[in-house]
Amino acid sequence: MVSRTDAPTRREQILKEAARLFAERGFHGVGVDEIGAAVGISGPGLYRHFPGKDAMLAELLVGISGQLLTGARRRLAEADGRTGASEVLDSLIEGHIDFALDDRPLITLHDRELDRLRDSDRKLVRQLQRQYVELWVEVVREAHPALTEPAARSAVHSVFGLLNSTPHLGRAGTLPGRGTTATLLHRMARGAFAAAGTPED
Amino acid sequence: MVSRTDAPTRREQILKEAARLFAERGFHGVGVDEIGAAVGISGPGLYRHFPGKDAMLAELLVGISGQLLTGARRRLAEADGRTGASEVLDSLIEGHIDFALDDRPLITLHDRELDRLRDSDRKLVRQLQRQYVELWVEVVREAHPALTEPAARSAVHSVFGLLNSTPHLGRAGTLPGRGTTATLLHRMARGAFAAAGTPED
DNA sequence: CGAACCTGTTAATGAGCGTTAACCATTGCG
DNA sequence: CGCAATGGTTAACGCTCATTAACAGGTTCG
């Protein structure tokens, strides 16, 4: 097995820089020459690592969706039976926040460039996303039984919007510290779900 | 003064269709021929109404930001002094939701294609956005005094993320009715702010 | 009437860009 | 040594696409 602390392979460098550039200027807005330049090689050299520009985006988006789903399943399994739905929901929220804070460019891509994929890739990504949402919906409904299923689904999408707002929270300088931001987001997400499930006044 | 119920002028048609197409496939993903075809004229005919493709996007984005800010100022003035901060905040939320539900393509563009603008236009849009945010921040801090100013700003951005999630809520068919959705979003936004300002456990 | 203007059209231009071709240095290994 | 694999390079191709040119039908109004 390859050690986790190895120098990043050229492929990984490319994916990372491509993610950043795609997030900044959009898929069509960045040229292969720019991506190449960002990793120190130039233009067509990328084709030694990827069959094309599309393939980079596809690998990024499939990777994101897969990671999110896998992480959520792991958290669900870890807590299965032994803790309440509310704690599981907290764990899901925490996982999503970690991702949103650590990989802001990927979060941006995630809901912005899906339509640029080949049909087969797009279908795969959507399927992964759907499973991720459904997993959340089930947990949310258990934690907030007053919610109907469509309401829960809407609430989940909205909370994703809330958590995915990290790219808009100051360009890494204005952020009041990662821990503070994570705590704030977590509280707001919980508050949003709670309010969705309790038609007060 | 031109009546509000006049047939939409050609310029307005173009802007509306351009907004829809830009939101669907991204600024660079849409050709001028497509925009033209969407309003029944073809390709270069658009140049009788706009100096270029960029100008359409610019007018759309400036328009959005301006409308949001103007609406918010009006709501603030209407309530000034006579009602509490909490009611003003409700009014702001309501206004933003109306916009997010009625003009989904514009909301999408709003935080997605800003970087494609000329420097001067982008600065203008950002300035309008900043004023809109600051207006919210002040009201939020009045309604939730426990929030520090940076926390309030982060909270506002996050709630924008929540409210702007409408494009992800089912392609207009799966929506449980506009009123229901608006109410749900409103409750969640209030709940999120409340949770942000009350470090419970 | 007729000149100006508005709003279209199609054809041409020219730049940008993804991709491929052709070529080359380095490394590992039988 | 020789040779295949790996990962680069630069030059060329071809397509897409925004923009401009050249032209034309209608309407306004002097």
Side-chain angles (χ1 to χ4, degrees), chain B residues 1 13-14 44 59 72 105 111-113 116 128 152 166 172 178:
Chain B
M1 172 187 178
Q13 287 181 44
I14 294 172
E59 189 160 330
D111 64 30
R112 195 167 292 199
E113 307 284 356
R116 280 68 171 172
L128 293 169
T166 49
R178 192 206 136 105

Side-chain angles (χ1 to χ4, degrees), chain B residues 10 40-42 44-45 48-49:
Chain B
R10 183 45 53 97
I41 73 182
S42 234
R48 299 294 169 196
H49 304 274

Side-chain angles (χ1 to χ4, degrees), chain A residues 14-147:
Chain A
I14 295 173
L15 283 176
K16 183 177 170 188
E17 295 303 310
R20 182 178 56 81
L21 290 168
F22 288 161
E24 278 173 11
R25 299 210 282 287
F27 179 68
H28 291 294
V30 30
V32 290
D33 289 351
E34 286 179 277
I35 304 174
V39 299
I41 73 182
S42 235
L46 296 171
Y47 286 74
R48 300 293 169 195
H49 305 274
F50 295 91
K53 194 184 163 193
D54 304 348
M56 302 177 205
L57 182 64
E59 189 160 329
L60 284 171
L61 290 184
V62 173
I64 303 163
S65 315
Q67 259 184 260
L68 279 174
L69 180 57
T70 304
R73 279 185 174 149
R74 181 169 41 72
R75 291 180 126 86
L76 191 61
E78 277 171 3
D80 198 20
R82 304 196 315 279
T83 59
S86 186
E87 284 77 12
V88 180
L89 183 54
D90 275 338
S91 179
L92 289 182
I93 294 172
E94 185 188 330
H96 197 105
I97 289 176
D98 284 345
F99 197 79
L101 286 176
D102 294 338
D103 296 284
R104 297 215 234 169
L106 292 183
I107 277 293
T108 300
L109 256 50
H110 184 258
D111 64 29
R112 193 168 293 199
E113 307 285 355
L114 184 58
D115 300 326
R116 281 66 173 174
L117 259 49
R118 296 201 337 268
D119 272 22
S120 63
D121 289 324
R122 187 170 53 247
K123 256 165 59 175
L124 172 56
V125 171
R126 274 216 232 271
Q127 186 183 325
L128 294 168
Q129 287 181 344
R130 193 162 28 238
Q131 294 180 67
Y132 185 62
V133 171
E134 291 314 312
L135 191 152
W136 274 69
V137 167
E138 286 180 32
V139 175
V140 166
R141 290 201 71 193
E142 225 180 314
H144 300 278
L147 283 172

